[in-house]
Amino acid sequence: MPVHAKTKETTLPKASNWLLDAADKSCLLARKFGTDDKPVLLGMRTYGPGYHFEITLSGAPARILQTAHKFTIAYGGGEPLPVRSYQMGKNEDYGAAVIFSNTLSMTAPPQEKTELEEEDDIRPVAFDPAVEAQIDTISIATNGQRFVLKTGPMAKALATVRQCTDGLVTRWGLDPVAQSKLSRRVRLGDFSWIEHIRRIYPAELMLKRKEARVNMQIVVDKTGAATRCDTAQAFANTDFKVRACGIVLKEARFQPALDESGQPIDSYYTTTILYKIS
């Protein structure tokens, strides 16, 4: 009979209040955990309304995750959600860091989706107070170890994120109320423009073998054409931004969003393009 190793669980108490950074292009929810001698920082950044977050975990747990082939994340008592891919980094104050995208949910999807398929979900953004009320921890597990971040109730913190993302939508020239009542979100028409952008990885980063994430925010009109494009948390490379958004505005085609009565409406599309060095 096989012997299963017991999972080692490390509880990380909250060590600060939640901090919301309402930037021009994103909304970041951050909190410190652990102790003064072993601090851990959790960052949950989003580039538009909804529960899709770019998560950064910095500190001792990240050193272990950096050597793991795979790991999971769970919200409250919800099911463990697989993290399909991640990137490694370093925080000057906390040390090792891992960065990955994940959608806050209590249940795992019936079948595994790619990150692009997850982002291309056309269902309306729906906020679920009942789900939010259940989240008082965030757990990350791998290789017989589980790190439990004692977040405490997150409903109020997530409400502040919604206020921030409403501000993003307003700056895009859209009405947050109308966007919250969509019967269908913008849907990707084809993937060719994404592959085109992946091929223009800046040479200076390729030479340094640096990985990167490019978060794109695109306004799509009622005909399905891209009318506005911006990049967030991208390289310090203005030429890349100009070239990438030029590709979007020239090549990208979408199926437009539908308002609550089923009519086409101006809306937005956000996506993350990963550059990984194999």
Side-chain angles (χ1 to χ4, degrees), residues 53-222:
F53 289 94
E54 176 185 274
I55 296 176
T56 303
L57 185 70
S58 307
R63 287 199 297 272
I64 294 172
L65 297 178
Q66 285 187 349
T67 63
H69 294 295
K70 58 183 179 179
F71 56 90
T72 63
I73 183 169
Y75 300 94
E79 298 176 9
L81 309 174
V83 175
R84 292 177 297 278
S85 64
Y86 64 90
Q87 291 173 297
M88 297 183 288
K90 185 176 181 180
N91 182 297
E92 290 184 4
D93 298 320
Y94 294 84
V98 291
I99 307 168
F100 58 94
S101 294
N102 191 259
T103 298
L104 188 156
S105 175
M106 302 298 286
T107 57
Q111 62 183 36
E112 191 168 315
K113 296 181 179 180
T114 66
E115 185 165 315
L116 192 57
E117 288 172 336
E118 191 172 276
E119 291 177 337
D120 196 37
D121 189 341
I122 63 172
R123 292 173 297 177
V125 173
F127 299 105
D128 191 334
V131 167
E132 294 182 5
Q134 297 178 57
I135 302 173
D136 57 5
T137 62
I138 294 178
S139 304
I140 298 178
T142 184
N143 296 339
Q145 297 194 65
R146 180 183 299 110
F147 301 97
V148 181
L149 283 67
K150 303 288 283 187
T151 62
M154 289 194 64
K156 289 184 178 180
L158 292 171
T160 64
V161 173
R162 282 197 289 279
Q163 293 176 355
C164 179
T165 56
D166 281 350
L168 294 178
V169 172
T170 299
R171 286 195 287 277
W172 298 336
L174 303 170
D175 177 10
V177 175
Q179 296 301 310
S180 70
K181 296 179 180 179
L182 298 178
S183 59
R184 186 187 76 184
R185 290 158 59 187
V186 170
R187 186 172 192 176
L188 195 60
D190 70 89
F191 296 80
S192 60
W193 60 274
I194 293 177
E195 293 304 320
H196 191 172
I197 292 174
R198 283 178 173 152
R199 292 196 298 270
I200 62 169
Y201 187 66
E204 65 270 25
L205 295 181
M206 181 68 76
L207 290 172
K208 295 177 182 178
R209 298 190 62 78
K210 284 190 174 182
E211 298 185 341
R213 307 172 67 88
V214 179
N215 301 283
M216 307 203 73
Q217 299 164 318
I218 304 163
V219 174
V220 178
D221 69 16
K222 61 184 64 176

